[in-house]
Amino acid sequence: VLLAIVLLITDYTKPKIKSEKDLVTIEGKLLDYNFVKGNKGYRNYTIKLNNYTNTFKIDADFIKYFSKASFEEHAYNIGKVKISISKKDSILLNSQSNKRIFIFSFKSDDNNYLNEKETIKEHNNRLVIYASLFFIIAGSILIYLGIKTRKRN
């Protein structure tokens, strides 16, 4: 039940992105990138741009839409890139917190490495809510059966 509550809070507090109108596009020269592939499917993809102190991160749910091979092939020849972030996160740009900001699209003049149409659709996936409801129902049933069993003993 607690897991379900955490999932619901996480889903409720994430930025509301319904279309490209809810995003802000920024540009900059690619300074650095880091692609970490760890154990058990862990992946952490981050990007740094010259005009921003923030680190930009590709959400784990969006990695399947990222054209990593194409990007790595062109990475050192890319001039300016454009990335889209949520309007809510745009207030964090170059702020003291240097918080990581999740990106919804990543493009150069010649290539689209991460498409916002796919990421927005994934961002709005309702699976978390359905899983939360399942955990609430299953947890409640288990709690009820546990209380009922104790009363018999």
Side-chain angles (χ1 to χ4, degrees), residues 6-25:
V6 169
L7 288 173
L8 286 173
I9 290 170
T10 302
D11 189 64
Y12 182 74
T13 58
K14 72 182 182 182
K16 306 299 180 231
I17 310 292
K18 298 296 179 195
S19 72
E20 289 111 22
K21 292 177 185 172
D22 299 319
L23 301 175
V24 173
T25 301

Side-chain angles (χ1 to χ4, degrees), residues 33-46:
Y33 67 93
N34 189 17
F35 299 152
V36 176
K37 187 175 181 181
N39 296 334
K40 300 180 183 178
Y42 171 81
R43 291 192 175 120
N44 187 22
Y45 290 10
T46 57

Side-chain angles (χ1 to χ4, degrees), residues 43-74:
R43 291 192 175 120
N44 187 22
Y45 290 10
T46 57
I47 297 162
K48 293 282 291 179
L49 301 180
N50 69 329
N51 301 339
Y52 302 95
T53 57
N54 306 82
T55 300
F56 300 96
K57 182 173 176 158
I58 299 175
D59 188 292
D61 293 333
F62 300 167
I63 287 176
K64 60 187 165 195
Y65 303 113
F66 180 62
S67 301
K68 180 182 175 208
S70 177
F71 170 75
E72 288 183 314
E73 182 181 326
H74 301 105

